[in-house]
Amino acid sequence: MLRKMAVWLVGLVLLAGVVGLEARSKGEIVLEVVGEGQNVGAQKPGGKVVAVLVGINTYKDDRFRRLRYAEKDARDMKKYLLSMGVKSRDIKLLVGQQATRRAIQRALYVWLPKKVGPKDGVFVFFSGHGEKWGVKDYIVPYDAEADALEISGLLGAAVERSLNRLRVRQQVLVLDTCFSRAIASEYVAMMANVRPRSNFLPNTHLKRFQGRGRVVFASSDGNEVSLEPKNLGNGLYTHYFLKGLRGEADKDGDKCITAREVHDYVSVKVSVHAKGKQTPAWDQNSTKEILLVRMPGCGQRVASTGTSGTGGSSGTPPSGGGWGVLVVSADVGGVEVYVGPVYRALLLKSGERTRLRLRAGQHEVTLKKQGYKDQSVLVQVEAGGELPLERRMIRDDAEAVVQRPTPPRQPPLVASAQPSRASWPTEPSAGQGHQFMVKRQTFRVRWIPAGSFVMGSPENESGRDSDEGPQRSVTISKGYWMLESEVTQGQYKALMGSNPSRFSSCGDNCPVERVSWHQARAFADKLSRVQGLAPCTTTGRGIFRCKGWRLPTEAEWEYAARARSTGARYGEVDDVAWYGGNSKGKTHPVGKQSANGWGLKDMLGNVWEWTMDVEGSYAGMSTQDPLRSSGSTKRVFRGGRWASVARFVRSAFRYFSAPTYRGYFLGFRLLRY
């Protein structure tokens, strides 16, 4: 499963030397843990910075899609480090064909340990592709092979082991990748003394690192890609990460840029630019602030470690000093909040409130949103007080909107919405089709007759995994109607009111993706209610008595996919599936590939499809209408996706993940009796 990684920044950083932030600012980049009440930036630990920078645009194996800025990101990072005073001899740059598996391993396993000491810092930057193979995550070097990553890729856990051997004082890990949060979880986690946050990384192995202060930055959620907009000249996360380090992340104006400030700044900028399709995350193993950049004037006042920020950057505090709280809200979502010239927060939803901790005194607060007029107000924050600030945002074209005539109201479309048995075939034959409309969306179904089949794959099937056996004869006791193709973006949007898909530009007839197991079931319940059917709320054997729409069981899915075929697929892979060999790195409109013997399309490829079952062995399961509903929390999905290698695109292949997982390759289809 090819996962394009726009940029993979890995930094284990004790940024400890006195180095210039920019030639004109004469700041320095450091890394130190600062307790509450301590003078931030007062201490200057010694040591040097050692960096390994890797960037790969084009791979030897052309099945890895060419990237736009990976090599430029690595070179720009080198320029930045040199401008801060890092010595050229302490930077290892590997780009393009230089970045082989052996070269990267030697840099990490041999060169770095020889260069660093207890007071030094390490900065490792990787910009390129990453890949998940089975349950393991790999960095993709220049000479990797897409279908043999287990021997040609660079295992994330192996990188962990090499970095774990480095005896450095402080460490920072920065990942600018697709699924970087998931990759980070291979070897990074919060320590027990860090309060969990919704965008923190999951617990895994951070405690194994030897350094005392550890920070992890991830450019995207575990289900997302990292973007490379054409107009920025760098990957999206790298662009704002560099701007943040250069000073824009200093939201409290104290000239000391902390890890928290960098994440808060980059998170908002990236989320807004990507319109919510890329969500950065971060983690640190200390409840104290970790300082990254010391600018001129840093350390001249005390900083706070509050999670909402460290104070205002504008206004004059009264002689007594002190702090107060400003509670800000707006009537629309996507609003940026600035105090003076400094960004402080993002209001994601209408009515959402954010609490800003500000120094007592006067502050100019501005709310900004593209397409709306800036709303500025002067507020007086009292020491120990709490001041609410609610603003109504006004569109730039508000006057024109008022003058536009109201379009005539369209009558609701009700034809064929109710599943009247009179309008459905009463004695359908195998593969017989039917269609109905809901909210102006056409749903096509095929009849899958009751019957028996051999479930699983034989031991000699190419690409077989052990969990595809043992093979056994399974009986499906009741026939059912199954959607001819995966649920589309248009259908999902019509019923649920939103489109979560990464490939939204593909169009309404493309499969919806980035849908969790829970969201797929919610769609099924909504479709049932619209058609006057009782939702199938159970997850146990009661599903076989449900009349409403639901996800298929694994057995029902494989039975329908095979359509009495017995091979690895119901046709040649290029004819029946969009996969890594023909998809060009994206989803495609449903129904364009050849159907199986019962008229179902896209059962293989395009997007994975959720099923009702939890993961587990076939051993001991019933041979009639089997369903595994307990023993695990993870749910199975089937069929392969647009980026899968051919071995994943088989009728028997199984995969699984948490029911909350929302990959941009995960969709679903439904059935009903």
Side-chain angles (χ1 to χ4, degrees):
M1 295 169 57
L2 173 62
R3 293 186 174 183
K4 172 258 176 191
M5 303 295 175
V7 187
W8 199 74
L9 288 168
V10 184
L12 292 175
V13 187
L14 162 63
L15 296 177
V18 178
V19 289
L21 176 63
E22 292 178 303
R24 65 178 183 273
S25 69
K26 301 301 182 183
E28 58 184 325
I29 186 160
V30 299
L31 182 65
E32 58 188 58
V33 179
V34 182
E36 185 169 4
Q38 288 183 315
N39 197 0
V40 177
Q43 301 300 318
K44 298 184 179 182
K48 64 179 181 296
V49 174
V50 180
V52 175
L53 313 177
V54 180
I56 311 168
N57 285 347
T58 305
Y59 287 78
K60 185 176 181 179
D61 187 335
D62 60 10
R63 285 174 289 183
F64 294 107
R65 188 169 68 84
R66 188 182 188 280
L67 301 179
R68 184 179 292 125
Y69 295 127
E71 293 175 16
K72 186 174 184 296
D73 285 340
R75 291 190 174 100
D76 285 353
M77 188 59 68
K78 179 177 180 179
K79 292 178 183 178
Y80 176 72
L81 294 176
L82 290 172
S83 75
M84 295 188 301
V86 179
K87 303 299 183 183
S88 180
R89 64 175 179 268
D90 293 328
I91 301 176
K92 174 77 73 175
L93 178 66
L94 300 172
V95 294
Q97 297 182 19
Q98 300 171 336
T100 63
R101 183 173 186 263
R102 179 175 174 80
I104 297 173
Q105 286 178 324
R106 286 188 62 82
L108 295 176
Y109 306 164
V110 180
W111 185 78
L112 265 181
K114 291 181 179 179
K115 295 287 290 186
V116 297
K119 294 184 178 181
D120 295 332
V122 178
F123 190 93
V124 181
F125 179 104
F126 181 88
S127 174
H129 275 296
E131 173 74 18
K132 187 174 182 65
W133 186 267
V135 297
K136 296 180 179 179
D137 293 295
Y138 291 86
I139 301 167
V140 181
Y142 166 77
D143 53 349
E145 299 176 36
D147 54 358
L149 275 176
E150 67 271 27
I151 59 174
S152 63
L154 197 60
L155 186 64
V159 175
E160 170 206 342
R161 288 191 294 270
S162 69
L163 297 177
N164 188 43
R165 292 195 295 265
L166 299 177
R167 300 283 177 168
V168 293
R169 180 179 176 181
Q170 311 287 1
Q171 306 167 355
V172 173
L173 172 65
V174 188
L175 300 164
D176 186 356
T177 74
C178 308
F179 313 103
S180 55
R181 184 172 178 175
I183 292 179
S185 68
E186 277 287 314
Y187 48 88
V188 181
M190 291 185 298
M191 296 294 284
N193 62 345
V194 177
R195 184 172 62 88
R197 286 170 39 153
S198 61
N199 61 347
F200 268 31
L201 300 170
N203 286 314
T204 47
H205 314 299
L206 179 59
K207 59 187 177 182
R208 292 200 235 164
F209 285 119
Q210 303 299 321
R212 294 183 306 183
R214 311 170 186 96
V215 186
V216 183
F217 296 99
S219 68
S220 62
D221 193 9
N223 312 320
E224 300 171 339
V225 297
S226 290
L227 305 177
E228 290 184 296
K230 293 181 180 179
N231 61 333
L232 293 183
N234 289 106
L236 180 60
Y237 189 86
T238 302
H239 174 78
Y240 286 113
F241 189 82
L242 287 170
K243 293 187 74 171
L245 291 179
R246 290 180 180 126
E248 292 196 16
D250 185 23
K251 67 182 182 182
D252 62 356
D254 66 353
K255 307 301 182 181
C256 302
I257 301 177
T258 66
R260 189 187 306 277
E261 287 178 314
V262 170
H263 167 71
D264 288 349
Y265 168 80
V266 176
S267 178
V268 171
K269 291 299 185 181
V270 169
S271 297
V272 171
H273 194 117
K275 298 181 179 179
K277 294 181 179 179
Q278 182 176 337
T279 310
W282 83 299
D283 182 22
Q284 68 181 47
N285 75 325
S286 174
T287 56
K288 303 174 181 179
E289 292 291 352
I290 294 183
L291 181 64
L292 296 183
V293 178
R294 186 201 315 273
M295 301 176 70
C298 172
Q300 296 179 6
R301 62 187 177 98
V302 176
S304 165
T305 58
T307 59
S308 63
T310 55
S313 62
S314 64
T316 304
S319 57
W323 299 81
V325 174
L326 182 67
V327 183
V328 187
S329 63
D331 63 337
V332 296
V335 176
E336 293 181 318
V337 181
Y338 289 79
V339 178
V342 180
Y343 161 77
R344 292 299 305 273
L346 173 67
L347 303 172
L348 290 172
K349 300 178 181 179
S350 172
E352 178 182 352
R353 290 178 171 83
T354 185
R355 296 170 60 85
L356 303 179
R357 186 168 181 265
L358 303 177
R359 286 187 177 276
Q362 285 190 344
H363 300 266
E364 182 182 17
V365 180
T366 304
L367 278 63
K368 300 181 180 182
K369 178 180 172 70
Q370 186 174 3
Y372 289 76
K373 297 178 180 178
D374 291 354
Q375 299 292 310
S376 296
V377 62
L378 193 65
V379 299
Q380 178 71 40
V381 176
E382 301 293 340
E386 183 171 307
L387 178 67
L389 176 62
E390 300 179 1
R391 302 301 291 177
R392 177 177 176 271
M393 302 299 291
I394 302 174
R395 293 187 63 91
D396 286 335
D397 58 349
E399 295 181 0
V401 170
V402 172
Q403 295 174 1
R404 291 192 193 113
T406 303
R409 185 175 181 179
Q410 299 295 322
L413 182 64
V414 297
S416 302
Q418 297 298 324
S420 170
R421 278 297 178 185
S423 64
W424 287 59
T426 55
E427 296 183 2
S429 58
Q432 183 172 341
H434 181 67
Q435 67 181 45
F436 59 92
M437 292 191 71
V438 172
K439 294 185 180 291
R440 302 181 183 177
Q441 292 292 316
T442 300
F443 290 76
R444 294 180 173 85
V445 293
R446 295 281 177 170
W447 178 252
I448 311 302
S452 299
F453 76 112
V454 177
M455 187 173 182
S457 62
E459 292 185 0
N460 62 352
E461 184 168 297
S462 178
R464 181 184 191 268
D465 277 353
S466 59
D467 67 352
E468 296 170 26
Q471 277 189 298
R472 69 208 195 285
S473 180
V474 168
T475 297
I476 304 298
S477 64
K478 297 169 67 175
Y480 50 90
W481 293 99
M482 176 174 266
L483 291 181
E484 183 178 290
S485 63
E486 297 140 337
V487 171
T488 67
Q489 296 181 29
Q491 292 166 347
Y492 191 91
K493 185 165 52 178
L495 263 71
M496 308 304 285
S498 63
N499 181 10
S501 302
R502 166 67 177 85
F503 294 105
S504 58
S505 61
C506 181
D508 283 353
N509 204 39
C510 292
V512 68
E513 13 89 12
R514 295 187 75 232
V515 178
S516 71
W517 184 81
H518 297 298
Q519 289 173 315
R521 292 191 65 221
F523 178 92
D525 292 347
K526 185 73 171 288
L527 181 58
S528 297
R529 291 189 181 97
V530 168
Q531 293 196 308
L533 301 169
C536 192
T537 57
T538 182
T539 58
R541 297 199 64 80
I543 65 172
F544 299 116
R545 297 187 296 273
C546 288
K547 299 300 182 182
W549 293 95
R550 63 172 173 84
L551 294 171
T553 65
E554 270 201 275
E556 290 167 337
W557 187 96
E558 186 173 331
Y559 176 63
R562 290 187 178 280
R564 299 190 178 127
S565 66
T566 58
R569 305 174 188 88
Y570 51 83
E572 294 296 323
V573 63
D574 286 299
D575 295 334
V576 302
W578 296 114
Y579 74 112
N582 62 9
S583 71
K584 298 182 179 179
K586 61 183 180 181
T587 59
H588 290 260
V590 301
K592 299 300 183 182
Q593 296 286 57
S594 298
N596 71 4
W598 287 335
L600 299 175
K601 300 177 180 180
D602 298 298
M603 290 296 285
L604 299 178
N606 224 359
V607 293
W608 292 98
E609 299 179 17
W610 286 110
T611 70
M612 289 296 300
D613 292 68
V614 300
E615 63 162 323
S617 170
Y618 290 153
M621 291 187 69
S622 170
T623 58
Q624 178 167 320
D625 300 323
L627 168 67
R628 183 180 296 280
S629 58
S630 61
S632 174
T633 59
K634 296 180 179 179
R635 299 285 171 171
V636 176
F637 43 86
R638 293 291 208 107
R641 62 160 175 147
W642 51 269
S644 292
V645 293
R647 67 178 290 262
F648 291 174
V649 187
R650 295 180 295 111
S651 299
F653 190 81
R654 312 169 70 198
Y655 220 122
F656 53 86
S657 189
T660 55
Y661 188 55
R662 296 173 58 244
Y664 74 131
F665 42 77
L666 257 175
F668 64 101
R669 77 175 72 210
L670 304 174
L671 64 78
R672 51 157 295 203
Y673 294 126

